[in-house]
Amino acid sequence: MDLQSFHRESIEDREGFWAEQANLIHWHKPFERVLDYSNPPFTRWFVGGETNLCYNAIDRHLASQADKPALIYVSTETGEERTYSFAQLHQEVMSMAAIMLEQGVGRGDRVLLYMPMIPEAVFAMYACARIGAIHSVVFGGFASHSLASRIDDATPRMIVSADAGSRAGKVVPYKHLLDEAIELAGNKPQKVLMVDRGLAPMRRIHGRDLDYAQLRDRHRQAQVPVTWLESNEISYTLYTSGTTGKPKGVQRDVGGYAVALAASMKHIYCGNPGETYFSSSDIGWVVGHSYIVYGPLLAGMATIVYEGTPVRPDAGILWKLVEQYKVTVMFSAPTAIRVLKKQDPAYLSAHDTSSLRALFLAGEPLDEPTARWISEGLGRPIIDNYWQTETGWPILTVAHGVEKTPTRLGSPGMPMYGYDVRLLHEQTGEEVGANEKGVVAIVPPLPPGCMQTVWGDDKRFVDTYFSSIPGRMVYSTFDWGVRDDDGYYFILGRTDDVINVAGHRLGTREIEESISSHAAVAECAVVGVADQLKGQVAVAFAVLKDPAPYEASQTRLALEGEVMKVVDQQLGAIARPARVHFVTLLPKTRSGKVLRRAIQALCERRDPGDLTTIEDPSALEQVRAALAG
Ligand code: PRX
């Protein structure tokens, strides 16, 4: 079947289409209804059906491939390399589940994970899935304030963490950040399960902190049966940034997610049982959830959990792993490829990558030069795919499991089955024509696998995602896009205050709040500025309460360093602005709204556009002067 007909069928006969896809997973109890859309925009898939993500990803494969690799752990940071078969992974997950159960974690309880890329993180996610607990993984690169706000929102019964991560050969201790975050949080977890990697010393809190190795020993042979969950129970929440300073807990179901991932593994990623999948993402991001942890194993593939960078010990490490483990499907981010582009291209051909059927790239725009460089250097197909934390799997790409549609440089492709994608005029809500810029929107119901709601805040779900386009209840992606005459889409950047730094999604508002917490700062504006390597970097403009003490350039420079340190400590190094400029006035409209787009344009040496609403034009002059200085 061609992709267009496949797509049309998925929209015209949603129930028939998804009922068929649902056969890709095991149902303990069959569903009664495929789709319940009686309370728009809330969508319930496979109502009444009972299943379990852990069962489908692990137990189901025990009969045919118990001794085949399931989880391949490679750390170029510590030199560890270990393979767990499906049977071994099954046991590790049951032991972890037994530890959780013993500590009183049950169905519907939240377990927050603050973990580096180690197998125990995957055990903990699957242990939650097995017993019906809701995991909430917080990226290990976040610092105490970010962590505290997520603890407060998720109110976890238990936190699972480790002594440290390691990045580019440097140990990054976690425990003091975790202790600080728990100190800051209003809701304190009762138990903290610590994996001690022996990388950094830890202060233990008696009665609260538990030692994983000790407990695992005790539960080494634990048998923990699967808890069958109704399809619409919650599998996890994952926090993501938006326009406000408060991150949203993207909430996902069980059955819809399992079906969506299994279908994507078949139609989009084309992975087969017994093969190896390698995603260089992190479990703290949605790509890690969908395509390190759950997707590959649902398809009966082995998954590589990689702790390390793309350039250590040398820039050939990713391809070395492809060769060594005969990886057939690989997933990475454009930013990783741009890092490699600065290295000797000989690394691309130093290893045999012929096992690779395709390299998928996502998370940020894939610029044409980078796409061309990697596709020519590697000689393997490169497939761009566009999606979001909210959707859990691709919105736009090509589906070579359905039809070998050619890819087009600079375009992530076409709408995937299940997504009724439209390009709408920002103000009128009308559909725009080919080659016209519009907001990428999805007409609900959203397909299986997409977010159910914002954790604990249904109103915010509706207000944020379904209320931004006038007169139409459609899901906004908050991305600009354009479609060419042949139906290929191109993504042109965000319509809101979200920025993308090296594939990491950050809210400028969060960074602004952090900078404003510095005693000398009165107010500030943060914008994302185009960067050759990282895609975007954050640049800040701050107004000081009293500029007098900071007149000398030396003291200003010191203050800039101090402000950056505040962001480092509160949010983590990834959120640190590349520059903090000091001005006495921010460009604002007469109603007091900061003109971020104008500031951003100046930073990128573009025309700032329509400035008729500006209150004081001299504010823009200050931005110009700061940039020139
Ligand atoms: O702006 C789009 C950009 O990343 C945003 C979603 O980021 P996140 O929630 O972290 O999910 C990443 C899942 C891959 C989008 O709103 N984005 C993601 N993929 C692409 C992209 N922009 C252009 N091309 C892409 N392929």
Side-chain angles (χ1 to χ4, degrees):
M1 192 189 280
D2 64 282
L3 184 56
Q4 257 179 355
S5 315
F6 195 68
H7 182 264
R8 197 177 323 113
E9 189 187 306
S10 76
I11 302 300
E12 285 172 3
D13 177 19
R14 287 178 201 274
E15 305 212 12
F17 181 89
W18 286 108
E20 195 179 325
Q21 303 303 320
N23 291 327
L24 292 168
I25 70 157
H26 169 83
W27 293 90
H28 176 67
K29 179 171 168 256
F31 42 87
E32 289 141 26
R33 278 181 74 182
V34 180
L35 168 66
D36 171 9
Y37 194 55
S38 56
N39 180 26
F42 299 93
T43 309
R44 285 154 41 86
W45 287 100
F46 311 116
V47 182
E50 285 180 6
T51 186
N52 183 288
L53 273 164
C54 181
Y55 179 87
N56 274 287
I58 302 174
D59 302 50
R60 191 165 53 117
H61 306 304
L62 290 175
S64 57
Q65 43 185 21
D67 299 325
K68 292 264 176 61
L71 192 163
I72 298 162
Y73 176 56
V74 179
S75 173
T76 48
E77 298 289 332
T78 62
E80 284 163 284
E81 198 154 338
R82 270 200 306 281
T83 297
Y84 296 84
S85 66
F86 277 93
Q88 287 167 326
L89 178 60
H90 183 237
Q91 185 54 62
E92 293 289 356
V93 169
M94 289 198 293
S95 304
M96 183 69 88
I99 295 172
M100 290 181 179
L101 288 171
E102 187 180 62
Q103 297 303 325
V105 175
R107 190 171 182 162
D109 286 338
R110 272 79 58 212
V111 175
L112 187 140
L113 272 66
Y114 183 55
M115 304 276 274
M117 289 293 285
I118 53 175
E120 289 80 1
V122 179
F123 305 161
M125 289 168 79
Y126 273 116
C128 290
R130 190 170 191 85
I131 63 174
I134 300 167
H135 62 66
S136 192
V137 184
V138 177
F139 176 54
F142 282 137
S144 51
H145 272 68
S146 305
L147 184 53
S149 67
R150 287 156 173 82
I151 294 174
D152 265 336
D153 195 70
T155 59
R157 181 177 274 264
M158 180 188 250
I159 293 183
V160 186
S161 189
D163 56 337
S166 179
R167 182 147 181 92
K170 230 180 85 195
V171 169
V172 186
Y174 280 17
K175 184 59 165 46
H176 70 286
L177 295 174
L178 176 61
D179 287 343
E180 241 171 71
I182 296 177
E183 194 64 36
L184 284 169
N187 288 295
K188 314 231 182 276
Q190 288 157 15
K191 296 292 170 190
V192 175
L193 181 63
M194 295 302 304
V195 178
D196 189 356
R197 310 175 71 192
L199 293 180
M202 288 194 272
R203 188 171 64 100
R204 290 179 199 268
I205 296 186
H206 188 72
R208 188 197 76 183
D209 295 354
L210 308 165
D211 181 59
Y212 170 69
Q214 221 173 26
L215 294 175
R216 173 177 174 268
D217 230 28
R218 202 142 52 69
H219 294 286
R220 209 169 345 154
Q221 307 197 328
Q223 295 295 310
V224 177
V226 162
T227 300
W228 297 108
L229 303 167
E230 199 276 333
S231 177
N232 292 277
E233 284 185 58
I234 305 166
S235 60
Y236 69 76
T237 65
L238 176 58
Y239 288 87
T240 194
S241 304
T243 313
T244 65
K246 189 173 176 280
K248 293 181 285 276
V250 166
Q251 177 185 313
R252 209 153 255 138
D253 69 357
V254 176
Y257 188 50
V259 170
L261 290 185
S264 71
M265 291 302 298
K266 179 176 177 204
H267 305 306
I268 301 172
Y269 298 101
C270 306
N272 305 307
E275 297 177 352
T276 304
Y277 193 104
F278 176 22
S279 163
S280 68
S281 182
D282 187 284
I283 49 149
W285 307 113
V286 72
V287 176
H289 282 64
S290 291
Y291 298 111
I292 295 176
V293 177
Y294 291 116
L297 295 187
L298 282 169
M301 300 177 81
T303 187
I304 296 183
V305 172
Y306 176 60
E307 182 184 49
T309 72
V311 290
R312 271 172 49 97
D314 61 49
I317 179 66
L318 300 183
W319 320 119
K320 178 171 176 276
L321 293 175
V322 168
E323 176 175 14
Q324 187 178 342
Y325 292 105
K326 302 211 167 25
V327 172
T328 55
V329 190
M330 187 168 169
F331 195 130
S332 192
T335 194
I337 307 302
R338 288 194 297 266
V339 167
L340 295 180
K341 213 164 112 191
K342 290 172 61 181
Q343 313 275 330
D344 187 349
Y347 283 117
L348 289 182
S349 43
H351 298 279
D352 177 9
T353 53
S354 59
S355 58
L356 208 57
R357 277 197 297 272
L359 167 62
F360 290 85
L361 296 173
E364 54 180 318
L366 174 61
D367 55 287
E368 286 193 33
T370 303
R372 197 168 288 122
W373 181 82
I374 186 69
S375 121
E376 284 166 9
L378 212 55
R380 312 305 304 158
I382 305 301
I383 301 181
D384 188 357
N385 52 137
Y386 160 82
W387 47 292
Q388 309 183 302
T389 305
E390 288 85 344
T391 67
W393 62 282
I395 304 169
L396 301 172
T397 184
V398 289
H400 282 176
V402 179
E403 184 197 24
K404 283 260 184 290
T405 322
T407 55
R408 193 162 283 188
L409 273 182
S411 162
M414 302 176 177
M416 279 301 101
Y417 51 90
Y419 290 102
D420 189 359
V421 180
R422 310 285 172 97
L423 287 173
L424 303 179
H425 190 280
E426 192 187 23
Q427 262 112 40
T428 64
E430 301 282 325
E431 275 190 57
V432 301
N435 304 306
E436 284 181 61
K437 177 173 160 178
V439 178
V440 182
I442 304 165
V443 177
L446 296 176
C450 291
M451 74 189 292
Q452 294 179 294
T453 185
V454 172
W455 165 257
D457 202 343
D458 285 348
K459 183 171 180 307
R460 193 169 175 202
F461 174 63
V462 180
D463 289 351
T464 305
Y465 295 106
F466 291 90
S467 313
S468 69
I469 312 247
R472 298 191 68 162
M473 201 189 62
V474 291
Y475 172 88
S476 174
T477 61
F478 297 100
D479 280 303
W480 294 111
V482 63
R483 185 181 50 231
D484 69 13
D485 294 318
D486 302 320
Y488 285 86
Y489 282 67
F490 295 79
I491 298 297
L492 309 172
R494 298 279 303 196
T495 67
D496 62 2
D497 299 327
V498 167
I499 63 172
N500 204 315
V501 180
H504 301 316
R505 175 167 162 181
L506 300 168
T508 51
R509 211 55 68 88
E510 287 168 81
I511 306 175
E512 288 171 0
E513 280 176 17
S514 178
I515 292 176
S516 302
S517 75
H518 188 287
V521 175
E523 62 172 340
C524 79
V526 170
V527 296
V529 177
D531 180 85
Q532 279 228 319
L533 191 64
K534 297 182 174 175
Q536 279 186 308
V537 291
V539 172
F541 292 84
V543 176
L544 297 175
K545 287 178 186 152
D546 176 14
Y550 303 101
E551 291 292 315
S553 62
Q554 228 23 34
T555 40
R556 275 188 168 229
L557 208 61
L559 181 63
E560 181 174 8
E562 257 182 52
V563 170
M564 288 181 180
K565 211 162 133 202
V566 168
V567 178
D568 260 24
Q569 282 169 349
Q570 293 188 354
L571 305 182
I574 52 162
R576 181 202 306 149
R579 283 301 312 266
V580 182
H581 297 288
F582 299 105
V583 290
T584 61
L585 191 68
L586 292 174
K588 289 186 184 172
T589 63
R590 277 174 223 115
S591 56
K593 259 184 90 178
V594 175
L595 288 159
R596 287 191 185 72
R597 279 187 214 176
I599 302 177
Q600 185 191 39
L602 289 183
C603 292
E604 294 178 348
R605 303 193 195 295
R606 289 185 285 110
D607 175 12
D610 176 22
L611 293 170
T612 45
T613 59
I614 195 165
E615 188 179 20
D616 183 345
S618 76
L620 273 188
E621 284 317 311
Q622 282 206 32
V623 169
R624 269 202 192 94
L627 289 167

